[in-house]
DNA sequence: CGAAATGGTGCCAAAAAATGACACCATTCA
DNA sequence: TGAATGGTGTCATTTTTTGGCACCATTTCG
């Protein structure tokens, strides 16, 4: 790895993780402890404000105020690029993903670090399925563009979200759910959410959601939703 | 002089002087002709548009528009981003792809137009739908490396696959299934497959699969696996 | 207190990158 | 034609970077 891109990687890691240790950083960027310390010195010379606490429970962290410059790309644009690259990485075509990551790192350095942390947090909720061979997209409805800001707010602030949902039989219901994750099984996108009224996890095709809105002030704690073992998630589906 | 600051010096000189020659630049920044030519190549890769006229009375000059460049992405990096976004578009997630495209358009504006044309030409030759979803599994570490060739064969040729599976309770069973999709729920990877013996979809944690092998000649038709509607995939999971 | 975890510095040999010199090519123009 | 100009390939040399290593200072926890 290049010294330049390693500096980018360190800044990104600091922005994403908040507080880390030198050794963790070294492992993450694939360099030695000594080199990471040198890099941090260089970054400080470049104007990055990096706090460090010595001793047990200490670590280094990037001052959120440091090196904030005006971004050429809008935050949603960067977010969209992040999703694209994550999907590509999930699909497994590596050389391109590494390059795309390097490019995004440069872009991210031009964004306010708290925004970048937010974007990464949303990204962590994305569950990306296989990029399948092209399917018939004709019946795929458009996703309401308002979903993006609504869900971003809901995910970041852990607010309940309310929307109208039309199921496969055309029935319309109003929902108030705790968004847990977004699931991409191309070409379809799903929202995985906990429905407090039904005391159950549910998921919703994004193109069947309308009128989404975050419910102000009604926050919730994130649940742990990973799949486990040999349980069939498609039990009740039409085949 | 540092390579980085020399690049800056070259850009500044080009901005100040308008048109100069390689030799003048070399004298100005205190480097050899060869090095300045290398630097100009690097700057072009970073998105600076530098015109050059060969022959008597020629010289190099910086395109005024590239003065607005802040994100200095290399050409391969932009290419990788283009591929990622194209793949996402092919996968059918429209609103986000539009945003990503808008971001890329801004980036492309900072690149030499002939480079962009080349990138687009290459891109048109890529068949996103045929990208194998399995090339990257090897660096998961915990997953049996033999899964790679077996699943790749199975996915691409639509062959049944046989393996031993150890479930959460430690029970070992032999499976013969039709692989349908890969599901990534970091840090775990899952195989989603149709089990003909059980007439049901099942999914398997990749790190609990051993001894995978494609069953020669026993092909199947891909089923439509995406989730449907408001069905709970986590019904039987510990919460 | 002692031990462990943490950031930080100095030193040095090995590895990697940058550099410069040179030969050469293609184009342009007087 | 010949000079001026941008551009490429190669290779030995020089410079920078890297990763151990030893060591120090501070902090927290038992």
């Amino acid at each position: 790895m290049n010294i330049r891109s390693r500096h980018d990687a360190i800044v990104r890691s600091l922005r994403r993780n908040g507080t880390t240790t030198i050794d963790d950083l070294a492992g993450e960027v694939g360099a030695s402890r000594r080199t990471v310390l040198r890099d941090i010195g260089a970054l400080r010379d470049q104007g990055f404000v990096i706090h460090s606490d010595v001793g047990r429970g200490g670590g280094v962290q990037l001052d959120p105020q440091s090196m904030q410059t005006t971004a050429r790309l809008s935050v949603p644009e960067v977010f969209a690029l992040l999703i694209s690259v994550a999907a590509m990485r999930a699909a497994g075509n590596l050389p391109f993903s590494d390059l795309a990551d390097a490019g995004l790192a440069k872009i991210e350095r031009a964004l306010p670090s708290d925004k970048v942390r937010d974007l990464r947090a949303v990204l962590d909720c994305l569950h990306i399925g296989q990029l399948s061979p092209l399917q018939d997209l004709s019946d795929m409805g458009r996703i309401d563009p308002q979903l993006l800001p609504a869900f971003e707010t809901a995910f970041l602030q852990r607010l309940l979200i309310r929307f109208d949902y039309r199921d496969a039989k055309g029935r319309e219901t109003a929902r108030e759910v705790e968004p847990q994750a977004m699931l991409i099984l191309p070409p379809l996108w799903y929202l995985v959410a906990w429905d407090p009224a039904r005391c159950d996890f549910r998921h919703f095709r994004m193109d069947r959601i309308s009128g989404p809105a975050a419910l102000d002030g009604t926050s919730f704690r994130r649940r742990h939703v990973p799949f486990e073992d040999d349980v069939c998630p498609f039990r009740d589906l039409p085949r």
Side-chain angles (χ1 to χ4, degrees), chain A:
Chain A
M1 172 170 318
N2 190 350
I3 180 174
R4 182 88 187 149
S5 45
R6 199 180 55 236
H7 285 188
D8 287 341
I10 287 176
V11 171
R12 258 198 308 161
S13 178
L14 285 173
R15 282 181 171 160
R16 187 172 58 247
N17 299 329
T19 300
T20 47
T21 69
I22 299 291
D23 288 320
D24 284 349
L25 275 176
E28 195 166 341
V29 304
S32 70
R33 194 180 101 96
R34 187 70 187 84
T35 298
V36 170
L37 279 162
R38 262 193 289 249
D39 287 342
I40 285 182
L43 289 171
R44 281 174 171 152
D45 285 345
Q46 290 172 27
F48 284 91
V49 179
I50 298 175
H51 305 290
S52 58
D53 292 313
V54 74
R56 207 164 191 159
V60 288
Q61 65 187 114
L62 182 65
D63 190 306
Q65 304 297 317
S66 76
M67 291 295 279
Q68 290 191 8
T69 56
T70 36
R72 292 178 60 76
L73 303 186
S74 72
V75 171
E77 283 165 351
V78 175
F79 183 42
L81 287 173
L82 279 171
I83 292 178
S84 299
V85 173
M88 282 300 272
R89 181 170 294 287
N93 41 329
L94 267 260
F96 301 113
S97 296
D98 288 341
L99 276 172
D101 266 349
L104 279 180
K106 291 184 181 174
I107 294 174
E108 282 186 11
R109 278 186 70 156
L111 283 181
S113 46
D114 54 339
K115 260 302 176 188
V116 171
R117 203 164 39 243
D118 290 352
L119 294 184
R120 288 290 178 180
V122 174
L123 204 61
D124 286 342
C125 296
L126 283 178
H127 296 167
I128 297 165
Q130 174 205 11
L131 277 181
S132 54
L134 289 184
Q135 305 181 26
D136 182 15
L137 301 185
S138 51
D139 64 336
M140 170 62 183
R142 305 273 309 198
I143 295 179
D144 185 346
Q146 288 194 346
L147 279 179
L148 185 55
F151 281 135
E152 182 165 348
T153 304
F155 271 107
L156 290 179
Q157 300 174 20
R158 312 207 161 169
L159 299 179
L160 267 70
I161 195 167
R162 181 220 309 268
F163 54 83
D164 296 317
Y165 190 71
R166 176 181 48 79
D167 69 12
K169 300 194 182 72
R171 291 174 300 213
E172 289 264 3
T173 48
R175 306 291 181 125
E176 288 185 11
V177 299
E178 305 172 357
Q180 302 291 333
M182 284 200 267
L183 186 59
I184 306 173
L185 296 176
L188 300 180
W189 286 55
Y190 297 87
L191 168 70
V192 179
W194 173 261
D195 187 334
R198 293 165 178 79
C199 274
D200 204 357
F201 281 103
R202 301 284 165 136
H203 60 279
F204 307 93
R205 270 176 58 164
M206 300 276 282
D207 55 320
R208 293 178 172 167
I209 290 176
S210 59
L215 291 183
D216 241 18
T218 51
S219 63
F220 62 92
R221 280 188 49 223
R222 181 90 60 213
R223 291 160 200 275
H224 191 57
V225 277
F227 284 150
E228 260 298 328
D229 283 329
D230 181 5
V231 179
C232 171
F234 309 112
R235 199 178 305 277
D236 301 328
L237 303 187
R239 305 220 165 89

